[in-house]
Amino acid sequence: MIPVADTHCDLLSYLQNVANASPLSDESRCSLPLLEQGGIVLQTTAVFTVTKPGSTYLAAGQVEKLTDLLQNYPERVYALLQTEQLPDVPFTGKTALLPAIENASGLCEEHEPLNKCFERLDKMRQQLGRIFYISLTHHTENRFGGGNQTNIGLKDDGRKLLDYLARQPIAIDFSHTSDALANDILLHIDKHQLPLQVIASHSNFRALHNHPRNLPDDIAKEIIRRNGIIGLTWLKAYLGDNPLNLFEHLRYGIGMGAEHQMVCGADLFYYLPEHFPQGVFFDRYSNASHYRTLIADLAAQGLPESTQKGFLHRNLLHFLQRLWQNNS
C-alpha cells in the first residue's frame, strides 16, 4: 500500500460540533477507519474556529478532542513529535496525527489583550507537543488581518503574532488569507528577516479555476521560491466540473518548478446536505479511503513514480524535517 500524508482535515470540528459524533463514524469523511483504508501515515488535524465570541473556548475543546483520540485509540493513532518519528513506508496501520490551527481567532478573542494569544499558543504547544501551521484568518476579517472573502491586509496584531511565531517551529498558512494579507505577510517577513516558512495547506491554482481560495500565480510562486509547500484540495468549488482537474493543478504546480513542493491537502469535512444542495465533494474523491482511487488515477496520468510518491507523502515529510530541524 502506497502511504499518504495529508495537510488538512476537520475531524476535530466534527467531533466537537456533531451530536454523538464518533471518530469511527464515516460521516466525518476522515474517520479513523477511513484513514486506515486510505493508507494515511500522517494526517494534519485542524483546530478550526470561525471568528466569533467564544472562538477560544471552541479551539480549546478541539484540542481536548485530539488528546482524547490519542489516549483512547493508541492502536490506531499516535502523536508526531520528533523528526525521527516521521512515518516511513510501508504503511503499518497506524496514523500519525499532527495538529494545526485554522484561524488564529482560536487563540485570542477580538477584544482580549494580545498576550492571551501567546499564552494560549504556548499552552497548546505544551499539550500537543507540535503544531504544524497557523493561518491568521478564516474567510472573514479578524484582529490579525483579512480572510479570503475580504481585501484587507495585515493588521498590527498580525505583525506581532508573526514576530512571536518567528521563534517557533510553526509554518504560516496562506490557504485562507486575502491576497492583500498574503502579500503583507511576505513583506513583513522580508523586512524583518523572519525565519518563517510559508505554505498553502489546502488550495489549488486560480489560473486554472477562478476562486478566491485558490492561489494567484504571484503568491504561489513566492511560496515555491521560499521552499514552502502547496496542498491540493478535492473540493468541487476549487476544481470545477471534473474531479480529474486535480491532476491539471498538479501539473501546473510542477510546471512552476514545484515538483518537490506539491502535496496532498484534501480538506475532508462533515457537512449537512441541506446546506450544500449541490454537494461539496465529487463522489470519486469524497472521503479518506478514496486516496486509494486517487493513487490509481495518479498512476494512470503517466507521471514518474518519484513524482507520484513525492506528491503522496515524501514532499510533506521532507518539509516537516526542514521546518523542525531548522527552527526547534
Side-chain angles (χ1 to χ4, degrees), residues 111-217:
H111 302 295
E112 287 185 307
L114 187 61
N115 70 296
K116 291 290 186 181
C117 174
F118 308 142
E119 291 173 4
R120 290 192 181 103
L121 179 58
D122 289 345
K123 182 180 178 180
M124 282 189 189
R125 287 196 66 198
Q126 291 171 2
Q127 289 175 288
L128 301 174
R130 290 284 186 182
I131 295 173
F132 179 5
Y133 59 78
I134 293 177
S135 57
L136 297 190
T137 59
H138 192 242
H139 290 314
T140 60
E141 175 186 2
N142 64 14
R143 66 189 294 166
F144 304 105
N148 56 272
Q149 292 179 353
T150 78
N151 294 312
I152 296 167
L154 184 65
K155 297 183 180 181
D156 189 54
D157 280 353
R159 295 183 184 90
K160 291 175 181 176
L161 179 53
L162 291 175
D163 293 342
Y164 188 81
L165 290 174
R167 302 190 293 273
Q168 317 290 335
I170 301 173
I172 300 299
D173 184 20
F174 281 9
S175 279
H176 277 287
T177 64
S178 67
D179 293 352
L181 177 56
N183 283 307
D184 284 351
I185 290 172
L186 294 171
L187 288 171
H188 186 76
I189 288 172
D190 290 347
K191 179 179 179 180
H192 298 280
Q193 297 183 323
L194 302 180
L196 285 169
Q197 293 286 328
V198 295
I199 70 168
S201 64
H202 53 303
S203 293
N204 299 337
F205 295 104
R206 200 177 300 173
L208 298 186
H209 190 76
N210 188 18
H211 191 285
R213 278 275 286 102
N214 284 340
L215 298 170
D217 278 0

Side-chain angles (χ1 to χ4, degrees), residues 212-227:
R213 278 275 286 102
N214 284 340
L215 298 170
D217 278 0
D218 59 338
I219 294 172
K221 289 176 181 177
E222 278 299 309
I223 293 173
I224 294 166
R225 185 179 72 83
R226 296 162 190 260
N227 214 18

